[in-house]
Amino acid sequence: MPKVLVSDSIDQAGIDILSQVAQVDVKTGLPAEELVKIISEYDALMIRSSTRVTQEIIEAAVQLKIIGRAGVGVDNVDVAAATRAGIVVVNSPEGNTIAAAEHALAMMLSISRHIAEANQSTKSGKWDRKNFMGVEVYKKTLGIVGLGKIGSHVAAAAKAMGMKLLAFDPYISQERADQLSCRLVDLELLLQESDYITLHMPKTKETYHMIDAKAFEMMKPTARIINCARGGIIDEAALVEALKQNQIAGAALDVFENEPLEADSGLRELGQKIVLTPHLGASTEEAQVNVAVDVAEQIRDVLLGLPARSAVNIPGLYPDALEKLKPYLQLAETLGNLVSQLAGGRVDFLDVRLQGELATNNSQPVVVASLKGLLSQALRERVNYVNASIEAKERGIHVIETRDAAANDYTGSLHLEAKGSLGTHSVTGALLGDREMRITNIDGFPINVPPTHHMLFTLHRDMPGIIGKIGSLLGSFNVNIASMQVGRKIVRGEAVMVLSIDDPLPEGLLNEIMKVAGIRDAYTVTL
Ligand SMILES: NC(=O)c1ccc[n+]([C@@H]2O[C@H](COP(=O)([O-])OP(=O)(O)OC[C@H]3O[C@@H](n4cnc5c(N)ncnc54)[C@H](O)[C@@H]3O)[C@@H](O)[C@H]2O)c1
Ligand SMILES: O=C(O)[C@H](O)COP(=O)(O)O
């Protein structure tokens, strides 16, 4: 019988499902050293957000086939290491949506009416009606940052409470915002006009510290901010200052940059101006049953040799088909991710061209993988092989699929062209041998480079000296170049330069590159 380790507290409904097919050991609160020692015995691991599944644990997990996250965020799992080890990672993208949205609404009302402090005061024997004067949310403006699943539910409920709605989400269509009665605006306007600001986007390199001292300066002194998304989106030190200086009126936080929140955090010292809860967004009976059942069913299926329906890293295909397509799926995800970073904003059309052997086989999953890659900048772990097409449709992305079976230089290749709010970009890729990925064209310029973690692309005039200038500029910022290639169509015309660099580009360097004479555009991407 297979063995499943449940290392965080999971609803019994999930344990019951697993017990039908496996021996289930529930061991919560294990120190990391202990987990590393015992994980080799297990075929499956079921967790929430408390267990950190590191590369060390994955390397020790020699039998592990699946990691099930009973919830949405897999930021506590080294998904790349799991993928390399062939371990399926599944989650429950929607099981706790309502719980998290209702928690945000509860936090908004709580900070408006001082529920938490008034409760504490009354329970301590007082009858203080003077110190807890509140404000109404009716007719106030709510700014929603991130209009996805949770943001949309918050919008519908807030509308019913008579609030005016603003939204900022660079990846959402006007059509979707209109459906939700939200006025789509830029972040600055949202910060300036909102009485309440609620955050519902993932933590990404774009959203990390998105709400910082500058953002607080733009807000009304009566503004209140709610974060039930992820710690790190708000700069906590800046928030403490903004509340101390009465730059804004209040905050309600469920998530923190470091969890558990440090005992001496300044956030604990702000009295009535702040409401804090210990990451309780998903903690409802209903959500915990939903996520436990959703994930336990997937673990059961994978242990029985069936596909998982919400795999974060591997599509829901039967093993034989999967084995053949896997390298192309990785290629498609990488190209999708790359073209979305080149596009740099909302994408309205994605043209997927399948060439060579990809055009003849059942390559629908390759289209889905391209969409998964495209949406991964916006949705992170929320997007998977099951929901990528639906998410794309909901976001108003029109997908055009074309097939050309005629062979070119490669057995199979994939071309993606993204048309969006900031222009059109295209990438082509192929496999060298059976597995090695190559980017073979960028924006119409032929190249031949493997995708790497950090890359820099420039579009420039093909003229003497320009490559040297870029090289020296990177050197002066201590950026190490691993490889470099130039592609051009005609001599002394336009050209692209593709550099693989060892580290992310330091802040400000992209601006310096743009200033070099002859450079028309420059992009930095992380794959
Ligand atoms: N507190 C909790 O216990 C709890 C529970 C569930 C989910 N969450 C968190 O809530 C957040 C939202 O979850 P969801 O299920 O609604 O996700 P979702 O993927 O459905 O929606 C996220 C939205 O954020 C948008 N977005 C991405 N980058 C953005 C940016 N730079 N600026 C503005 N918007 C951006 C996306 O386009 C998308 O519409 C996630 O961070 C998730 O981890 C927290
Ligand atoms: O990502 C999630 O699903 C939420 O943050 C909930 O986390 P939890 O399962 O640890 O409550």
Side-chain angles (χ1 to χ4, degrees):
M1 213 179 195
K3 285 179 76 175
V4 180
L5 176 64
V6 175
S7 62
D8 285 326
S9 109
I10 303 287
D11 192 89
Q12 187 60 36
I15 315 275
D16 291 345
I17 291 168
L18 292 172
S19 304
Q20 293 162 11
V21 295
Q23 176 191 318
V24 183
D25 295 343
V26 180
K27 295 182 181 176
T28 57
L30 284 175
E33 318 81 76
E34 197 53 36
L35 187 53
V36 173
K37 270 193 212 149
I38 63 168
I39 194 69
S40 61
E41 296 168 33
Y42 291 96
D43 302 275
L45 174 65
M46 189 162 179
I47 56 166
R48 279 176 63 191
S49 60
S50 301
T51 303
R52 286 196 61 232
V53 188
T54 58
Q55 179 162 349
E56 194 191 359
I57 289 169
I58 286 167
E59 279 166 7
V62 288
Q63 297 220 125
L64 207 65
K65 295 172 188 62
I66 177 165
I67 298 166
R69 158 59 163 124
V72 185
V74 289
D75 18 14
N76 51 325
V77 179
D78 188 335
V79 178
T83 307
R84 279 196 300 277
I87 298 168
V88 186
V89 181
V90 300
N91 68 351
S92 174
E94 288 173 18
N96 58 28
T97 298
I98 303 296
E102 289 186 357
H103 197 71
L105 293 161
M107 295 288 259
M108 178 172 72
L109 293 173
S110 179
I111 192 68
S112 302
R113 303 302 292 268
H114 311 293
I115 304 287
E117 294 280 323
N119 169 61
Q120 224 168 23
S121 152
T122 312
K123 283 188 176 161
S124 73
K126 296 188 195 147
W127 188 252
D128 182 355
R129 283 165 42 95
K130 272 201 320 284
N131 274 321
F132 299 116
M133 184 61 75
V135 287
E136 291 174 14
V137 301
Y138 181 64
K139 288 202 170 159
K140 297 281 166 49
T141 298
L142 173 65
I144 303 173
V145 187
L147 202 56
K149 299 274 178 301
I150 297 171
S152 300
H153 192 76
V154 167
K159 187 185 170 211
M161 289 196 289
M163 298 186 85
K164 285 179 246 163
L165 304 178
L166 299 180
F168 168 69
D169 186 329
Y171 305 103
I172 209 81
S173 67
Q174 185 65 51
E175 207 178 335
R176 177 72 181 146
D178 291 345
Q179 274 169 11
L180 293 162
S181 309
C182 290
R183 182 155 72 94
L184 212 49
V185 293
D186 62 27
L187 183 63
E188 207 174 304
L189 194 85
L190 181 143
L191 297 175
Q192 287 164 349
E193 291 199 357
S194 298
D195 300 300
Y196 292 86
I197 295 157
T198 184
L199 308 176
H200 299 291
M201 66 289 217
K203 179 163 123 189
T204 63
K205 71 175 194 278
E206 271 176 60
T207 64
Y208 179 73
H209 283 196
M210 189 185 239
I211 307 297
D212 58 6
K214 247 166 63 194
F216 289 119
E217 272 170 28
M218 289 182 215
M219 295 180 198
K220 296 180 181 177
T222 50
R224 291 169 173 83
I225 187 158
I226 300 124
N227 186 10
C228 291
R230 274 291 175 270
I233 296 176
I234 296 184
D235 175 344
E236 288 172 1
L239 173 63
V240 170
E241 258 330 282
L243 286 170
K244 276 189 182 160
Q245 304 303 327
N246 295 321
Q247 224 167 6
I248 64 166
L253 309 180
D254 183 47
V255 286
F256 304 90
E257 194 150 349
N258 294 314
E259 293 182 12
L261 179 65
E262 300 90 349
D264 60 353
S265 162
L267 292 169
R268 295 188 194 257
E269 311 292 325
L270 294 158
Q272 276 194 50
K273 290 182 182 171
I274 200 161
V275 175
L276 306 175
T277 51
H279 203 141
L280 292 182
S283 295
T284 63
E285 289 172 14
E286 295 86 347
Q288 285 313 308
V289 172
N290 288 344
V291 296
V293 169
D294 192 358
V295 169
E297 284 179 351
Q298 296 187 68
I299 294 179
R300 177 198 61 197
D301 288 353
V302 167
L303 292 178
L304 293 173
L306 298 168
R309 59 172 175 260
S310 273
V312 169
N313 59 343
I314 296 173
L317 286 180
Y318 284 86
D320 280 0
L322 181 61
E323 216 33 60
K324 278 200 204 114
L325 267 185
K326 212 148 83 183
Y328 279 120
L329 298 177
Q330 265 155 12
L331 176 71
E333 267 197 57
T334 306
L335 295 183
N337 189 354
L338 173 57
V339 83
S340 95
Q341 291 186 60
L342 295 178
R346 198 188 66 232
V347 169
D348 299 314
F349 291 91
L350 181 71
D351 187 354
V352 182
R353 245 170 275 162
L354 301 146
Q355 292 160 332
E357 70 172 3
L358 267 184
T360 47
N361 293 326
N362 166 23
S363 355
Q364 185 52 30
V366 176
V367 178
V368 177
S370 309
L371 287 172
K372 180 172 184 274
L374 185 86
L375 293 170
S376 63
Q377 285 299 314
L379 302 182
R380 316 296 294 182
E381 59 273 350
R382 281 296 310 259
V383 61
N384 58 42
Y385 283 85
V386 177
N387 64 11
S389 305
I390 299 162
E391 287 283 354
K393 203 167 162 199
E394 276 186 0
R395 270 147 209 283
I397 301 173
H398 300 275
V399 182
I400 304 151
E401 191 184 320
T402 46
R403 287 165 185 266
D404 175 9
N408 52 21
D409 294 347
Y410 298 91
T411 329
S413 64
L414 176 69
H415 175 82
L416 301 181
E417 185 173 294
K419 249 184 233 155
S421 48
L422 302 175
T424 300
H425 286 277
S426 68
V427 294
T428 311
L431 296 176
L432 204 64
D434 269 354
R435 307 215 141 243
E436 255 183 73
M437 294 192 270
R438 284 286 184 276
I439 304 169
T440 58
N441 197 295
I442 295 266
D443 285 344
F445 294 91
I447 49 162
N448 191 327
V449 290
T452 55
H453 194 31
H454 301 295
M455 300 185 88
L456 170 68
F457 297 86
T458 66
L459 178 63
H460 60 270
R461 249 191 14 248
D462 181 28
M463 59 188 208
I466 197 156
I467 295 170
K469 277 188 198 151
I470 299 296
S472 317
L473 202 49
L474 291 185
S476 67
F477 275 74
N478 199 26
V479 176
N480 204 30
I481 301 173
S483 72
M484 195 279 286
Q485 207 185 94
V486 178
R488 61 186 183 181
K489 289 185 233 172
I490 50 164
V491 176
R492 303 240 176 188
E494 284 200 316
V496 292
M497 181 167 17
V498 182
L499 294 115
S500 291
I501 47 182
D502 289 340
D503 301 294
L505 222 55
E507 200 157 321
L509 180 50
L510 202 62
N511 282 341
E512 293 304 311
I513 292 171
M514 291 291 291
K515 286 183 201 155
V516 172
I519 295 286
R520 279 205 24 218
D521 240 327
Y523 309 87
T524 171
V525 302
T526 302
L527 296 174

